[in-house]
C-alpha cells in the first residue's frame, strides 16, 4: 500500500549506544557490554523512558512543535529505505535468503558475519542518507501497536489505536539475510526486553 510522509522529522544517525544510555539513565542493561555498541535488552517502556527524559532535559532548546520519541513504523521504513525500492536499503536485492549474502554484508551485522554478538555502531556502510545499522545489529522499537497494514493509501500512519504487541523493525545479529529486508516486521510484547537482540533509535518528531 502507498504511504505518504507529510510532516518533516529527524532520526538518529546511529542506534542509541550504551554510553548514551548510561549517561542519561545511569545504568546499562546490555548483555554485550561495550560503550559504542547499541544498548540492548531494553523494553518498549525503557526506550520510551529514555525519550521522555531527553524531552525533560532539552525542553528549552527543542524546536517548536517537536519532541523526542520513537519513530513510527512508517517513519522508520522511510528513513531506512532512503528512496530505495529494493529489498535492501543499499539499493540492492538479496542474492539468497539463507547463508552468506554479499549485498547484506555491506550494510548489516547478521548471522553470517556477526559472530553472534552486537558490534559498535557505524561500522557498516550507511544508506544514501547517511544512516547506519538499520538492517542489522539490533532490531529497533517503533512507536506503533502491531497490526495489519491498511489496504488503502495512508498519510503519516501511526498504526492501530491499541493492541497487545509493539512493532520492531530491522534485522539483528542472530538472524539471516531475509530478516534484513527494509520491509521486514517484528512484533513483541511491549514489556519484553528481548534479551540482547532489541535496541532502539531516537527520532525528533512533530508533536501530535
Amino acid at each position: 500500500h502507498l504511504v505518504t510522509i507529510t510532516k518533516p522529522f529527524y532520526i538518529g544517525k546511529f542506534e542509541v549506544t550504551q554510553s548514551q544510555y548510561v549517561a542519561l539513565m545511569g545504568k546499562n542493561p546490555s548483555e554485550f557490554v561495550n560503550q559504542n555498541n547499541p544498548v540492548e535488552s531494553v523494553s518498549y517502556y525503557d526506550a520510551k523512558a529514555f525519550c521522555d527524559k531527553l524531552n525533560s532535559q532539552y525542553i528549552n532548546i527543542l524546536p517548536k512543535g517537536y519532541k523526542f520519541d520513537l519513530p513510527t513504523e512508517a517513519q522508520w521504513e522511510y528513513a531506512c529505505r532512503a528512496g530505495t525500492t529494493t529489498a535492501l536499503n543499499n539499493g540492492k536485492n538479496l542474492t539468497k535468503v539463507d547463508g552468506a549474502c554479499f549485498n547484506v554484508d555491506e550494510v548489516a551485522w547478521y548471522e553470517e558475519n556477526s559472530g553472534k554478538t552486537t558490534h559498535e555502531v557505524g561500522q557498516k556502510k550507511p544508506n544514501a542518507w547517511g544512516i547506519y545499522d538499520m538492517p542489522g545489529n539490533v532490531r529497533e522499537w517503533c512507536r506503533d501497536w502491531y497490526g495489519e497494514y491498511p489496504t488503502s493509501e495512508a498519510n503519516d500512519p501511526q498504526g492501530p489505536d491499541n493492541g497487545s504487541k509493539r512493532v520492531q523493525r530491522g534485522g539483528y545479529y542472530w538472524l539471516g539475510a531475509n530478516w534484513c529486508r527494509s520491509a521486514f516486521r517484528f512484533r513483541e510484547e511491549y514489556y519484553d526486553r528481548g534479551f540482547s537482540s532489541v535496541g532502539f533509535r531516537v527520532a525528533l518528531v512533530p508533536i501530535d
Side-chain angles (χ1 to χ4, degrees):
H1 67 292
L2 181 66
V3 169
T4 302
I5 302 293
T6 68
K7 300 175 181 178
F9 70 97
Y10 300 84
I11 196 166
K13 184 176 181 178
F14 305 112
E15 295 157 330
V16 173
T17 65
Q18 294 175 31
S19 62
Q20 291 171 327
Y21 194 85
V22 171
L24 193 66
M25 307 302 286
K27 58 184 177 181
N28 187 1
S30 303
E31 179 178 332
F32 300 113
V33 177
N34 182 307
Q35 65 176 359
N36 293 321
N37 284 28
V39 67
E40 26 89 355
S41 304
V42 289
S43 69
Y44 174 84
Y45 287 141
D46 295 330
K48 287 286 283 185
F50 183 92
C51 295
D52 291 344
K53 198 160 185 179
L54 277 179
N55 286 320
S56 64
Q57 285 207 1
Y58 294 99
I59 188 170
N60 294 322
I61 60 173
L62 282 170
K64 185 176 180 180
Y66 280 80
K67 65 177 180 179
F68 291 112
D69 206 341
L70 299 175
T72 65
E73 183 176 17
Q75 288 169 338
W76 191 97
E77 186 168 334
Y78 178 84
C80 177
R81 286 188 177 278
T84 62
T85 56
T86 49
L88 303 172
N89 74 345
N90 55 359
K92 300 179 181 180
N93 287 306
L94 295 171
T95 56
K96 56 174 68 174
V97 296
D98 295 312
C101 175
F102 178 77
N103 291 344
V104 175
D105 284 338
E106 287 186 0
V107 292
W109 295 110
Y110 70 120
E111 69 171 352
E112 295 297 326
N113 65 10
S114 69
K116 300 299 189 292
T117 183
T118 62
H119 289 260
E120 293 191 4
V121 300
Q123 302 302 300
K124 289 293 183 178
K125 184 179 178 180
N127 68 12
W129 294 347
I131 307 171
Y132 292 82
D133 297 313
M134 297 196 85
N137 219 3
V138 292
R139 49 190 162 137
E140 302 173 16
W141 287 109
C142 293
R143 201 177 350 162
D144 311 44
W145 290 108
Y146 183 88
E148 295 299 320
Y149 284 140
T151 56
S152 58
E153 296 182 12
N155 289 341
D156 304 309
Q158 299 191 35
D161 292 334
N162 52 63
S164 61
K165 297 182 179 181
R166 296 282 184 175
V167 174
Q168 296 169 345
R169 297 299 295 264
Y172 65 94
Y173 70 89
W174 191 264
L175 291 182
N178 189 49
W179 283 267
C180 292
R181 292 182 294 111
S182 298
F184 199 86
R185 312 171 79 201
F186 295 90
R187 59 181 181 266
E188 193 74 71
E189 303 284 355
Y190 47 89
Y191 52 79
D192 193 337
R193 287 188 163 83
F195 303 103
S196 58
S197 63
V198 181
F200 65 103
R201 187 182 306 259
V202 171
L204 188 65
V205 299
I207 296 172
D208 297 330

